[in-house]
Amino acid sequence: MTRKITVMGSGYVGLVAGTCLAELGNQVLVYEIDSNKVESLKQGEIPIYEPGLEKIFKPLIESGRLKFTDKTEGFLTDRDLVIIAVGTPKREDGSCDISYVLDAARMIGENLTGDLVVVNKSTVPVGTGELVEQKIVDVIKQRSDISASVSVVSNPEFLREGNAVKDFLQPDRVVIGSENSAARETVGELYSSLDCPILYSGLRTAEMIKYASNAFLATKISFINEISNVCEMVGADVTEVACGMGLDHRIQQDFLGAGVGYGGSCFPKDTEALVDIAGQGGYHSQILNAVISVNHQQRIRFARKIVNHLPETEQRPEVAVLGVAFKPETDDMREAPSIEIIHHLQKEGVNVRAYDPEALDNAREIITGVNWALSAEQAVEGADALVILTEWDEFLKRDFARVKQLLNHPVLFDGRNCLPMQQLIDQGYEYYGVGRGIDRLDNILHHSYLLQ
């Protein structure tokens, strides 16, 4: 069944969700307050880098199934559903700022023309759905021209940047939470053509599923990073340890890649928000606080490793950094590990030149004092060491024999364990990864734990 849907917000979630819902055959109107952005979107210009989005985006605009507006007048007329997909940024204390969500609720109340299902896709603290419903009801009560009812449904997104279109159209699961069974079924119909389980739950439970999912994945990353640090102490290789662990069907391989830690718009914000939610209820989350601490320390630990193993130079050492986005296949710099690592290197007197295939424009706004290169070769040539912080495919396919010729010193720091360590060592590189047995066994044999 074709639905008429308004999506509020053209950020990462709103744009992907709106486009994919239109691709599924619905009529979608995306509301965005920024008029300049709306005009660009109408022209088919996508403000984010997301593989696969452009392929379906422009045809949907041309067909009229996907439209954009910056006007609230009539933006809810004859709509079956409205989806809230506005930002929920992190406050300085780690809590989640839901002011944009409540602003969206107010706008819905002011422009409602009849009964409506309100779907919340923004990641929000548990209980926000009820606040949204109350906000809309309060606004409706102040109006004399309409009597309408709303049902709020939580439909959290589980989109991975760089894979978002596939994740939306081929999801592991769809979660739909509401106490109103009719509203749940209305939202469920949006996904009826997808081959995936649909989980129906209460409103608060759906909100909690989103936080618990991201917090668990962040925990898995910090766990393997902590194991990587022990591996360096005892001379083990964390990549082989992770492989051995992941073969257990109860553990599995995903998110067991040791490196410089997680970043992005979800894991850092959602984990800290869940800690805040727990704290407001009087519960101190020991595990999640440790997850956050390990993630921060992992970046500092790697930066110190770089400083401690740089070759001696007559002038300030020059380091080439390849990859600054928080992960490959995105231009997103939010909470990217590269930010903290580069700042630490600069504080230690290291000159940094850097290159990223997609994130340079965003990175320039966040990191200062860096010599931004226009290619990997330009970044590497004449550098005293090479640092990999994002595992872009183009970096993995480089001719490292040629890269070695461009470097002043063949010193390589692999912050993602994405390169063939032994092959690089055989080529003459001084290789440093994460948790790959850097300490030599003859030193480890003297460790006190073996002598007890």
Side-chain angles (χ1 to χ4, degrees):
M1 177 185 296
T2 299
R3 293 286 187 179
K4 294 183 178 179
I5 304 166
T6 293
V7 176
M8 300 184 70
S10 68
Y12 187 85
V13 174
L15 192 58
V16 172
T19 303
C20 290
L21 286 170
E23 177 71 7
L24 291 175
N26 299 287
Q27 296 290 329
V28 178
L29 176 66
V30 178
Y31 168 77
E32 167 60 47
I33 195 172
D34 186 337
S35 57
N36 291 328
K37 188 176 183 181
V38 168
E39 288 305 312
S40 295
L41 289 166
K42 286 180 177 179
Q43 299 302 316
E45 299 175 11
I46 302 176
I48 60 173
Y49 176 75
E50 180 59 44
L53 186 59
E54 185 174 1
K55 182 179 180 180
I56 61 175
F57 184 75
K58 290 183 178 179
L60 289 169
I61 294 176
E62 293 170 358
S63 70
R65 293 214 305 272
L66 180 62
K67 298 181 179 180
F68 298 89
T69 185
D70 58 350
K71 306 292 191 299
T72 58
E73 183 179 356
F75 84 133
L76 297 181
T77 302
D78 297 327
R79 298 283 110 176
D80 299 306
L81 304 99
V82 58
I83 296 175
I84 298 176
V86 297
T88 53
K90 182 178 70 174
R91 294 193 181 100
E92 290 186 6
D93 62 359
S95 64
C96 180
D97 183 355
I98 63 170
S99 60
Y100 297 121
V101 173
L102 296 180
D103 285 345
R106 174 185 52 77
M107 293 171 62
I108 292 170
E110 291 173 347
N111 293 276
L112 206 62
T113 58
D115 295 349
L116 191 64
V117 175
V118 179
V119 182
N120 190 20
K121 271 200 166 295
S122 299
T123 301
V124 293
V126 179
T128 301
E130 294 161 7
L131 294 177
V132 168
E133 184 168 343
Q134 188 59 54
K135 183 74 170 179
I136 297 172
V137 170
D138 288 345
V139 175
I140 292 175
K141 288 180 179 179
Q142 297 172 12
R143 296 174 57 183
S144 60
D145 60 332
I146 189 172
S147 175
S149 65
V150 295
S151 299
V152 175
V153 176
S154 175
N155 177 215
E157 54 84 15
F158 300 98
L159 307 179
R160 295 169 296 166
E161 293 191 37
N163 209 51
V165 173
K166 182 179 178 181
D167 285 347
F168 194 101
L169 298 176
Q170 301 176 38
D172 292 330
R173 81 293 203 193
V174 172
V175 176
I176 300 172
S178 176
E179 274 58 55
N180 186 316
S181 59
R184 286 201 304 256
E185 291 174 7
T186 296
V187 178
E189 289 175 358
L190 294 177
Y191 304 99
S192 60
S193 63
L194 303 183
D195 183 19
C196 70
I198 297 180
L199 173 64
Y200 294 101
S201 72
L203 184 58
R204 289 188 171 218
T205 298
E207 292 170 339
M208 188 63 186
I209 288 171
K210 167 65 175 179
Y211 275 112
S213 297
N214 280 354
F216 178 78
L217 295 175
T219 299
K220 202 171 181 183
I221 293 170
S222 281
F223 175 83
I224 198 62
N225 278 336
E226 188 146 271
I227 293 298
S228 76
N229 297 334
V230 179
C231 284
E232 290 191 3
M233 292 170 53
V234 302
D237 189 328
V238 72
T239 61
E240 296 177 9
V241 171
C243 180
M245 292 171 59
L247 291 174
D248 187 324
H249 72 277
R250 299 167 301 175
I251 300 174
Q252 301 190 18
Q253 198 72 49
D254 291 345
F255 291 86
L256 283 182
V260 292
Y262 59 78
S265 62
C266 293
F267 288 1
K269 177 173 72 73
D270 293 354
T271 305
E272 291 187 38
L274 189 51
V275 168
D276 179 72
I277 292 168
Q280 290 187 33
Y283 180 76
H284 175 74
S285 176
Q286 299 184 59
I287 290 178
L288 295 184
N289 274 291
V291 167
I292 295 167
S293 177
V294 168
N295 193 59
H296 168 69
Q297 290 301 321
Q298 194 72 2
R299 302 171 183 185
I300 300 303
R301 182 182 177 90
F302 191 72
R304 288 172 178 167
K305 180 185 293 185
I306 296 170
V307 172
N308 291 339
H309 292 91
L310 281 175
E312 292 187 6
T313 57
E314 294 183 1
Q315 299 176 335
R316 293 179 63 173
E318 193 99 4
V319 166
V321 172
L322 295 186
V324 292
F326 89 92
K327 62 179 287 188
E329 301 302 332
T330 181
D331 60 354
D332 199 339
M333 286 294 298
R334 285 175 289 184
E335 302 283 349
S338 63
I339 299 171
E340 196 166 3
I341 292 170
I342 290 174
H343 283 166
H344 186 87
L345 293 176
Q346 290 173 328
K347 288 180 181 178
E348 293 294 330
V350 177
N351 289 332
V352 177
R353 56 174 82 163
Y355 167 74
D356 189 283
E358 294 294 337
L360 286 184
D361 289 342
N362 292 334
R364 287 190 182 98
E365 297 178 3
I366 300 172
I367 311 174
T368 59
V370 171
N371 182 10
W372 297 105
L374 299 179
S375 68
E377 287 77 10
Q378 187 180 40
V380 168
E381 188 171 9
D384 298 306
L386 171 60
V387 179
I388 305 289
L389 293 183
T390 313
E391 61 276 34
W392 283 95
D393 193 52
E394 73 166 81
F395 302 155
L396 310 187
K397 294 179 178 179
R398 300 225 77 81
D399 179 356
F400 279 91
R402 167 61 178 160
V403 171
K404 182 183 174 185
Q405 295 175 351
L406 295 175
L407 288 166
N408 285 342
H409 305 276
V411 182
L412 192 153
F413 299 91
D414 185 358
R416 296 294 183 179
N417 287 348
C418 58
L419 301 176
M421 176 178 69
Q422 193 56 54
Q423 179 180 325
L424 291 168
I425 292 173
D426 292 343
Q427 289 180 358
Y429 277 95
E430 187 177 331
Y431 174 93
Y432 298 96
V434 178
R436 308 200 71 176
I438 290 175
D439 290 336
R440 295 295 179 261
L441 187 60
D442 55 354
N443 292 329
I444 293 165
L445 289 175
H446 294 88
H447 282 184
S448 59
Y449 80 96
L450 288 175
L451 300 176
Q452 291 177 354

